[in-house]
Amino acid sequence: MARYLWPFFLLTWLFSYPAWGGDLDDVRARGVVRHLGIPYAHFVTGSGDGLDTDIIRLFATSLGLSYVHVPTTWKDAVGDLTGNPMDSRKKVEVKGDLLANGVTILEWRKRFFCFSTPVFPSQIWLIAGADDPVTPIVPGDGLEKDISRVRNKLRGREVTGMARTCLDPGLYGLEAAGASIRYFNGQLNDLAPAVMNKDAQLVLMDAPDALVAIEKWPGRLKVIGPVSDPQHMGVAFRKNTPELKAAFNRFFRKLVADGTYQKLVEKYYPVFPVYYPRFFAGLTGMDSRNNK
Amino acid sequence: MKRSVTIKHLEARNLAAIVICCSLAVFIGIMLAKQYMSFTGLEQGRVVTLKQDLDKRATAVGYFFSERFADLEHIGTTRALKGYFENLALGMSMKYGLRSSLFAAARQLSMLMTSKTIGRDPIYSRLVFITGQGDILIDTLGAPDDFPGFCRRLLTPGEKPRETFWNGSDIVVSVPFYFKETYAGQLVSFLPFDTIDRHLVRQSGGSSGVYGMTAGTDPLLLPDRAPLRLPGTDRITPELFADGDVRTLEGEWHDKADARIIAMRTHIPGTPFYIISLNQTESLSGENIFAIMVAFVLLIGVGIFFIWRAATQKLIYGVRLEASRQSEKHFRDLVEFLPIPVGEYGFDFKIRYANREALAFFGYTRTDIDAGIRITDLIQEADLEKVTGRIAVFEQGENPGPIDVNVRRKDGKKIWGRAIPTLIYENGACTGVRTCFIDMTQRRKSEQASIMAAEQEKYALVGQVAGKMAHDFNNILGAIMGNADLTLMDCQDPEIRKTLRIILEQAKRGNILTRNLVAFAKDQEIKEKYFNINRKMDLVLNLLKKELEGITIIKNYEKSPPELLADPGMIEHTLVNLIHNAIHAMGKTDHPVLGLETRSDGNSLIICIQDNGCGIPKMHAKDIYSPSFSLKGSRDLTKSYLPGTKGTGYGLSNVKKYIDKHKGGISFISSEDRGTRFTITLPLVAKTLLPDEKEGLMKKPVVRKKRILIVEDEPAISMVLEKILTSDPFYHTVRLAEDGTAAIELSDCEPFDLVSLDYMLPGRVNGLDVYTHIRKTNKTMPVLFISGNIRFLESMDVLKASDPHMDHLSKPFENLAYADKINQWLQMAQ
């Protein structure tokens, strides 16, 4: 039986191949790169700029295409990019070609998307209001110990995060450290105000967002310490757009090589090369390796 | 005589100017001598000036340092540095968050470094924040280990004061920083001395001396450019000023070995620094005084010469200018009061001048002319090209002479006249045109009236002949045709039958010719009706359907043209004639195309008929409307028409006559072998008075609410007349009579204030009969005849002479003319 079926499978594969390989051509034929973005920190400001907005706009230009920003939400992002919403079997309209707004590369997200090479570093920090009795840790020998020091401060405290994002406390086992978990219903950008207004005791924020917040409201928020290992952010693509992803990776390497990326980082997150020198050195190394 | 007196005056003036200048020279000499005598006082004054200059420089440098203190104190108040200490107070670690705040504070210092410049040089070479513990927290140079020796005292723990001090090539400004009222550190800035020296200390001032800055306890290092050499040393030591701020020294200054040098010192406010100046001073000698005296005398001599020369030229120029002004005024006055319009314009078409008569004639004011009226604004559009062409000829310096031109007044009234130009020359170049204008309107009207009268006389003569001949000629033709027809029925010989057919055909042609001749000569009364021209055009096309076979017809009708008030029969006859001619003209055309167009411009209805046929030869253009003129048949010498195409020669003359009767116009453009386009313009008459017409009427006294009898057999016209008279602003009561009998009955039964009477009426009783009946009982009631009948019009003068209460209006007429005429008569009757 199998002997008669293999030509059928071969034909099926042959005919389905163009659907995989033609993704970049589809975008070119449409003439526009549709950037799905959620306003977040300095990645997508909502005012037409931001680190990710600028990168994707330049990417569109490099392809000779026009750029359009398609607003979305964390709830709808998966459906808007893939056509298959996370919590429904009903197909929805695909509204964008890629998702980029400081999207952390997480394992569970890889089930829905494929990610570009990392474009920015991140880490999850625990944040408290200035008046909160919990004090920031004194950093020690290693990250593991720093995380442990933070977890020791959580017993009996309420930690607020956001479901289905990198700020989900469940991802870092905080419940096991004795914290009670609460999920925030608002937008990511509202987490810091929630702490300042005492609507939340302790919140999880990713490092880029936390640094923006403490610079914006000095003396009103304090960083207690890290709860996660260093993470990376990337640009999310549909799984059936490998050519588009490859084109982006090529473009990104060029962006780093010609110094444009560093200028954008200097513009939106000038302190980050100081915090994560290894990541930025790695990017430059990646470029030099590729040049070789 | 006048000129010699002026020159005499000029010489006296010249003498006076010279005497004054010599006196001035003596006076200056005395003053210089006095100055020499008071040299000591002068020296003292110079010292005061130098001291003031030095004080100004010191104040400027002091202000510069106070600004630097303000810069550093401002940074202490900004969010960036305070934010760092806020976050530090919360216990945040550098690794998790605090480094970001420190980074922001460092960025703030870097921004200050790049933003503050003097000239193009940066003011700050380095900014450092030192904590209260004496640690360097921020260093814009990024080299905390390389901290200058004298400043290392700042790296000790504890509070330091606000101070300025000298540190080698830099001046250091240090300001304490407090966080929540507790000393938290010191903001330290390094200012390159060279920049301060170049831009502030040595900057250009009122003196050419040498300037330097010193900390008071240190000796002043003289700049390389200093021309000074003091005996035994090249330094000004602080001890020099031990007993005061001003010293006089002896030393070498440039090449002068025994120069006297004034050394001065001033404190820079708010700093421990001084500014020192060194200036050479020298005494005035007798040689110097003599040299100055000679220079002054020469200067005054030259001054006298120029005064004399300028005064002479001014006077001569003034005399000439005055004479020129008088002359110009004389001629201006002459032109201004001339009883004919005179004006001047340039080649930019702008009118430069217009005399009083010209302004009155064209209806403009002097203000309008000053505002910039152009000569082209006075010319009617039809003549614009002709006039601009003529102006181009003038510009070449040629004057071809008078030109007849249609002009328009400011109020839009059109005038026909003759412009007589002369060229204006200025400095040998032709710069414009001076022209006087003669109104030829009346003369032209008279000429046209004469031409029309002659034409009418000719038509009348032809009419008389045609009327008499037509009957007899038709009888002759009838006999020929009848007998030829009978013979043809019986005759079997082919040759004879052929001859008989020719006789019949020519007799029929003679019959058509007679009919057209009678139509031409007959003075037909216009029977006006409102109708749609597009439908009339289509009707004619339908009539000529057979002849139009094979011809492409392009219709370009206005979608909803205003209704035309005209004689439908005459218009139909006109269209038939023109289209028929077009068909004939296209007989030899491969792809004949007939174009028909209708459009309106508010005042007129325009009909265009265009063909792509053989055209009308230029030499016959002026003859085509003449009776009996034809280009077809035996007169087709160029064989432009198909064989057998014949014309009577009365078609276009009838068309012209019909259009003239409607007070319209007909014109054509034609090109041989390319076609002809006839354009007919017919006046439009609205069915009621227009708003501006009403407005015009209201400017005169309006008689209202009278009783008027309108006798008119054409309902379309009587309806319009009734509407005009019964509505705003008249509100008259109107009764209508469609024929003479009804009019007589109504006039017998009801009293009327005026009768509007059509001459041609259906039935046996015509307008004249009605008039005669009315006059039997009422001799003074105004009667207004409405007619286009020539015979009646000829008899009008006789009637008018015997009855001052009657008038007439020739058909067709404008509504405004009718309303105005009725109003005039009612006013006179009051």
Side-chain angles (χ1 to χ4, degrees):
Chain A
M1 184 69 179
R3 194 174 54 175
Y4 298 107
L5 280 175
W6 76 264
F8 171 75
F9 287 125
L10 181 64
L11 281 172
T12 307
W13 181 79
L14 278 173
F15 281 105
S16 62
Y17 183 76
W20 284 79
D23 53 296
L24 182 57
D25 290 342
D26 289 346
V27 175
R28 283 189 198 281
R30 206 181 302 114
V32 62
V33 173
R34 300 170 300 170
H35 171 200
L36 286 165
I38 305 157
Y40 181 46
H42 288 178
F43 294 108
V44 173
T45 63
S47 309
D49 63 354
L51 179 66
D52 283 4
T53 304
D54 286 3
I55 289 174
I56 303 305
R57 186 177 275 120
L58 288 169
F59 174 51
T61 306
S62 76
L63 294 175
L65 306 175
S66 56
Y67 164 91
V68 66
H69 172 72
V70 182
T72 184
T73 61
W74 286 112
K75 183 170 171 285
D76 300 330
V78 174
D80 286 347
L81 182 62
T82 63
N84 302 305
M86 275 199 298
D87 45 8
S88 167
R89 289 190 173 185
K90 193 178 173 187
K91 293 261 185 194
V92 295
E93 182 195 356
V94 172
K95 293 180 180 171
D97 301 311
L98 49 86
L99 172 71
N101 48 256
V103 184
T104 306
I105 301 172
L106 298 171
E107 282 306 316
W108 69 265
R109 280 182 175 152
K110 288 181 182 171
R111 291 205 317 264
F112 299 97
F113 317 128
C114 59
F115 282 96
S116 66
T117 52
V119 296
F120 206 72
S122 182
Q123 193 173 23
I124 307 303
W125 288 354
L126 185 70
I127 310 292
D131 302 332
D132 197 280
V134 67
T135 54
I137 61 159
V138 177
D141 312 337
L143 178 60
E144 209 172 306
K145 286 183 182 173
D146 288 348
I147 293 171
S148 175
R149 286 185 189 100
V150 174
R151 291 173 71 88
N152 288 340
K153 291 177 183 277
L154 296 179
R155 185 159 299 280
R157 300 305 306 273
E158 182 188 84
V159 177
T160 303
M162 280 194 77
R164 295 178 180 178
T165 71
C166 59
L167 305 182
D168 190 339
L171 291 173
Y172 312 108
L174 299 188
E175 214 163 4
S180 61
I181 305 304
R182 184 183 153 207
Y183 288 103
F184 188 60
N185 288 326
Q187 301 295 317
L188 274 180
N189 282 343
D190 298 333
L191 274 171
V195 177
M196 288 188 289
N197 297 335
K198 297 188 168 44
D199 293 334
Q201 287 183 3
L202 303 167
V203 295
L204 297 183
M205 290 175 77
D206 61 24
D209 195 20
L211 292 177
V212 170
I214 62 172
E215 198 174 331
K216 202 169 174 183
W217 297 292
R220 299 188 63 186
L221 298 166
K222 55 189 176 189
V223 181
I224 307 301
V227 297
S228 79
D229 290 329
Q231 297 176 335
H232 292 138
M233 291 170 166
V235 178
F237 295 90
R238 272 191 301 281
K239 287 196 167 183
N240 60 354
T241 56
E243 283 189 357
L244 184 63
K245 187 183 93 170
F248 177 81
N249 285 341
R250 282 194 300 277
F251 158 77
F252 186 68
R253 279 197 295 275
K254 201 174 161 200
L255 203 69
V256 172
D258 66 15
T260 308
Y261 173 74
Q262 288 81 345
K263 282 180 191 160
L264 291 175
V265 171
E266 173 67 24
K267 181 180 173 186
Y268 292 106
Y269 291 105
V271 74
F272 258 68
V274 180
Y275 268 94
Y276 297 95
R278 198 175 295 173
F279 175 83
F280 289 95
L283 281 183
T284 316
M286 167 189 81
D287 174 59
S288 60
R289 280 193 301 279
N290 280 294
N291 283 341
K292 286 171 192 175
Chain B
M1 181 69 178
K2 192 176 177 182
R3 182 179 166 83
S4 66
V5 170
T6 310
I7 297 298
K8 190 178 172 186
H9 287 174
L10 174 69
E11 286 166 358
R13 184 181 287 203
N14 186 14
L15 192 65
I18 292 166
V19 169
I20 289 167
C21 286
C22 288
S23 305
L24 193 62
V26 172
F27 175 73
I28 289 168
I30 293 167
M31 291 302 291
L32 278 170
K34 275 195 168 184
Q35 284 294 312
Y36 179 66
M37 296 295 286
S38 60
F39 169 68
T40 313
L42 187 75
E43 179 106 340
Q44 284 173 353
R46 181 168 157 74
V47 169
V48 170
T49 308
L50 290 171
K51 179 72 176 161
Q52 284 173 348
D53 178 55
L54 199 61
D55 286 342
K56 279 182 197 167
R57 287 167 198 256
T59 306
V61 179
Y63 181 72
F64 171 79
F65 281 111
S66 70
E67 277 187 322
R68 303 294 70 80
F69 282 119
D71 283 349
L72 298 183
E73 281 162 355
H74 174 69
I75 285 200
T77 62
T78 56
R79 206 172 67 173
L81 196 57
K82 279 166 79 177
Y84 167 77
F85 282 99
E86 293 269 13
N87 291 334
L88 179 68
L90 291 175
M92 279 163 60
S93 62
M94 279 288 182
K95 193 171 179 183
Y96 300 112
L98 195 58
R99 187 174 287 133
S100 171
S101 307
L102 184 62
F103 187 83
R107 210 161 31 147
Q108 181 84 25
L109 294 188
S110 299
M111 278 167 61
L112 179 68
M113 288 230 348
T114 51
S115 64
K116 295 288 179 180
T117 57
I118 182 166
R120 288 184 176 179
D121 300 323
I123 288 176
Y124 298 104
S125 61
R126 185 177 192 177
L127 283 165
V128 177
F129 185 86
I130 301 168
T131 64
Q133 290 73 43
D135 300 322
I136 293 177
L137 186 69
I138 303 168
D139 181 0
T140 56
L141 207 61
D145 297 334
D146 183 23
F147 208 64
F150 191 65
C151 300
R152 295 195 77 81
R153 63 188 173 82
L154 295 173
L155 299 179
T156 53
E159 188 170 347
K160 285 100 191 167
R162 182 179 190 265
E163 59 179 332
T164 307
F165 57 87
W166 202 301
N167 183 69
S169 60
D170 291 322
I171 290 176
V172 179
V173 176
S174 172
V175 172
F177 170 75
Y178 298 91
F179 176 68
K180 292 184 177 172
E181 296 179 356
T182 305
Y183 178 74
Q186 201 76 12
L187 272 160
V188 182
S189 66
F190 290 75
L191 317 174
F193 171 68
D194 185 51
T195 305
I196 299 166
D197 183 48
R198 190 165 60 250
H199 290 287
L200 295 169
V201 179
R202 283 192 279 127
Q203 67 172 350
S204 172
S207 168
S208 58
V210 174
Y211 293 87
M213 191 170 147
T214 173
T217 54
D218 305 326
L220 170 70
L221 192 66
L222 290 172
D224 294 340
R225 65 186 178 86
L228 174 69
R229 292 284 177 276
L230 292 175
T233 179
D234 59 350
R235 286 167 187 267
I236 303 290
T237 57
E239 290 77 26
L240 187 69
F241 295 102
D243 56 349
D245 288 336
V246 182
R247 298 285 292 163
T248 305
L249 311 170
E250 295 286 339
E252 185 183 331
W253 187 274
H254 285 293
D255 298 333
K256 198 167 184 178
D258 57 345
R260 292 174 72 239
I261 297 152
I262 301 172
M264 278 189 264
R265 182 183 75 163
T266 293
H267 180 244
I268 298 172
T271 72
F273 309 126
Y274 292 88
I275 289 189
I276 288 171
S277 78
L278 300 166
N279 281 277
Q280 186 205 10
T281 178
E282 56 185 326
S283 58
L284 288 170
S285 67
E287 286 171 12
N288 290 344
I289 289 289
F290 179 74
I292 292 168
M293 285 285 283
V294 170
F296 267 107
V297 168
L298 279 174
L299 196 67
I300 287 163
V302 171
I304 289 166
F305 172 72
F306 279 109
I307 289 168
W308 176 81
R309 192 174 160 205
T312 310
Q313 284 183 344
K314 191 177 174 186
L315 277 170
I316 292 170
Y317 176 70
V319 169
R320 285 180 183 166
L321 190 68
E322 184 55 31
S324 168
R325 274 184 193 147
Q326 288 290 341
S327 171
E328 190 187 343
K329 188 174 181 305
H330 177 71
F331 283 105
R332 281 277 176 212
D333 287 349
L334 268 177
V335 174
E336 189 66 22
F337 292 103
L338 274 177
I340 54 170
V342 177
E344 290 177 6
Y345 58 90
F347 294 127
D348 57 355
F349 299 154
K350 274 192 182 168
I351 296 174
R352 298 175 189 162
Y353 168 75
N355 73 349
R356 198 175 291 187
E357 184 61 22
L359 292 173
F361 184 79
F362 287 101
Y364 286 95
T365 63
R366 195 75 63 195
T367 318
D368 293 333
I369 300 295
D370 294 343
I373 300 287
R374 292 159 67 88
I375 190 70
T376 46
D377 296 338
L378 308 181
I379 308 297
Q380 286 185 39
E381 203 171 330
D383 280 358
L384 262 182
E385 200 175 330
K386 181 168 77 174
V387 170
T388 51
R390 181 60 68 90
I391 291 172
V393 175
F394 291 149
E395 204 169 0
Q396 303 301 318
E398 293 172 24
N399 186 354
I403 177 172
D404 289 345
V405 65
N406 284 296
V407 298
R408 61 174 169 229
R409 288 166 45 90
K410 189 180 182 181
D411 58 11
K413 191 178 172 189
K414 296 169 180 176
I415 302 168
W416 167 258
R418 177 167 294 168
I420 305 168
T422 53
L423 301 181
I424 303 170
Y425 285 91
E426 285 171 15
N427 299 325
C430 185
T431 59
V433 181
R434 185 175 296 120
T435 187
C436 64
F437 189 82
I438 299 168
D439 185 358
M440 309 274 281
T441 313
Q442 286 303 326
R443 188 170 154 186
R444 193 185 194 197
K445 275 184 183 170
S446 305
E447 282 173 3
Q448 282 178 336
S450 302
I451 292 166
M452 192 171 272
E455 203 173 335
Q456 281 184 355
E457 201 176 330
K458 187 172 78 180
Y459 290 163
L461 190 64
V462 173
Q464 285 171 12
V465 174
K468 284 175 184 172
M469 283 183 68
H471 180 72
D472 296 341
F473 199 67
N474 275 339
N475 284 345
I476 295 165
L477 287 173
I480 293 169
M481 284 167 71
N483 284 300
D485 216 7
L486 284 172
T487 313
L488 190 65
M489 285 168 71
D490 298 334
C491 182
Q492 299 301 320
D493 184 341
E495 283 302 312
I496 297 172
R497 282 182 71 88
K498 191 178 172 186
T499 309
L500 286 169
R501 278 203 189 93
I502 291 170
I503 292 169
L504 257 178
E505 196 179 310
Q506 291 302 315
K508 276 178 190 169
R509 197 177 152 214
N511 185 252
I512 293 167
L513 178 68
T514 314
R515 224 185 305 152
N516 263 320
L517 188 66
V518 171
F520 170 75
K522 197 175 158 191
D523 179 30
Q524 288 172 289
E525 171 88 355
I526 299 179
K527 298 306 288 179
E528 289 180 312
K529 278 185 180 175
Y530 278 101
F531 62 90
N532 184 307
I533 189 65
N534 291 351
R535 281 190 214 139
K536 182 62 77 182
M537 298 272 274
D538 287 339
L539 180 76
V540 171
L541 288 177
N542 203 35
L543 281 173
L544 301 171
K545 200 173 174 181
K546 199 173 178 192
E547 287 94 326
L548 287 166
E549 275 176 7
I551 295 174
T552 306
I553 298 168
I554 299 173
K555 294 182 196 173
N556 187 14
Y557 294 168
E558 182 172 316
K559 200 172 179 183
S560 303
E563 288 205 317
L564 178 67
L565 180 65
D567 186 317
M570 288 188 185
I571 299 302
E572 188 179 309
H573 198 167
T574 299
L575 295 173
V576 167
N577 261 305
L578 290 176
I579 295 173
H580 221 258
N581 282 348
I583 294 167
H584 285 169
M586 293 187 291
K588 287 190 169 180
T589 307
D590 291 339
H591 302 288
V593 178
L594 177 69
L596 302 170
E597 183 186 348
T598 60
R599 64 175 194 274
S600 62
D601 62 2
N603 296 319
S604 311
L605 184 83
I606 296 147
I607 305 162
C608 297
I609 297 168
Q610 184 169 357
D611 63 67
N612 61 345
C614 59
I616 300 166
K618 215 170 188 175
M619 60 187 288
H620 296 306
K622 64 181 187 303
D623 303 322
I624 61 164
Y625 300 120
S626 303
S628 81
F629 179 82
S630 177
L631 288 167
K632 303 169 195 170
S634 58
R635 296 180 189 174
D636 181 16
L637 301 175
T638 54
K639 303 293 173 196
S640 302
Y641 294 86
L642 284 174
T645 305
K646 293 187 176 75
T648 63
Y650 285 90
L652 278 177
S653 59
N654 277 339
V655 165
K656 179 84 167 65
K657 191 171 155 188
Y658 295 150
I659 298 302
D660 287 346
K661 272 182 177 290
H662 285 85
K663 295 184 178 171
I666 181 166
S667 62
F668 72 95
I669 49 172
S670 183
S671 176
E672 281 184 69
D673 297 329
R674 294 181 67 180
T676 306
R677 177 187 175 89
F678 273 92
T679 303
I680 295 170
T681 310
L682 292 165
L684 283 171
V685 180
K687 290 186 177 179
T688 183
L689 286 176
L690 301 172
D692 57 334
E693 291 177 333
K694 277 184 190 173
E695 201 177 311
L697 275 172
M698 297 291 276
K699 286 177 184 169
K700 303 170 189 172
V702 173
V703 181
R704 295 183 172 86
K705 296 185 177 174
K706 296 288 178 185
R707 292 182 60 79
I708 294 171
L709 172 62
I710 295 176
V711 187
E712 171 64 60
D713 63 321
E714 178 52 58
I717 296 175
S718 60
M719 189 186 71
V720 171
L721 301 183
E722 184 189 15
K723 196 171 180 184
I724 291 167
L725 296 179
T726 55
S727 57
D728 180 51
F730 302 115
Y731 303 110
H732 297 310
T733 302
V734 168
R735 300 300 304 272
L736 294 173
E738 289 186 355
D739 54 39
T741 311
I744 288 171
E745 281 175 9
L746 275 169
S747 68
D748 286 345
C749 299
E750 297 178 29
F752 292 101
D753 297 305
L754 185 145
V755 177
S756 167
L757 185 56
D758 190 4
Y759 172 73
M760 292 292 285
L761 292 171
R764 292 182 179 176
V765 183
N766 68 18
L768 205 59
D769 298 331
V770 176
Y771 166 77
T772 310
H773 180 81
I774 290 170
R775 280 290 177 257
K776 281 178 188 170
T777 54
N778 192 333
K779 306 280 186 196
T780 57
M781 183 172 64
V783 175
L784 179 65
F785 272 103
I786 309 290
S787 178
N789 185 286
I790 289 175
R791 282 179 201 163
F792 173 72
L793 292 178
E794 282 167 358
S795 61
M796 272 307 300
D797 291 341
V798 182
L799 265 177
K800 271 186 177 178
S802 60
D803 183 355
H805 300 288
M806 66 86 60
D807 202 349
H808 86 282
L809 201 59
S810 181
K811 277 186 181 179
F813 51 79
E814 291 177 354
N815 292 339
L816 178 64
Y818 179 75
D820 201 29
K821 192 69 107 176
I822 296 276
N823 195 54
Q824 275 177 22
W825 277 104
L826 287 173
Q827 208 180 342
M828 282 195 280
Q830 276 187 330

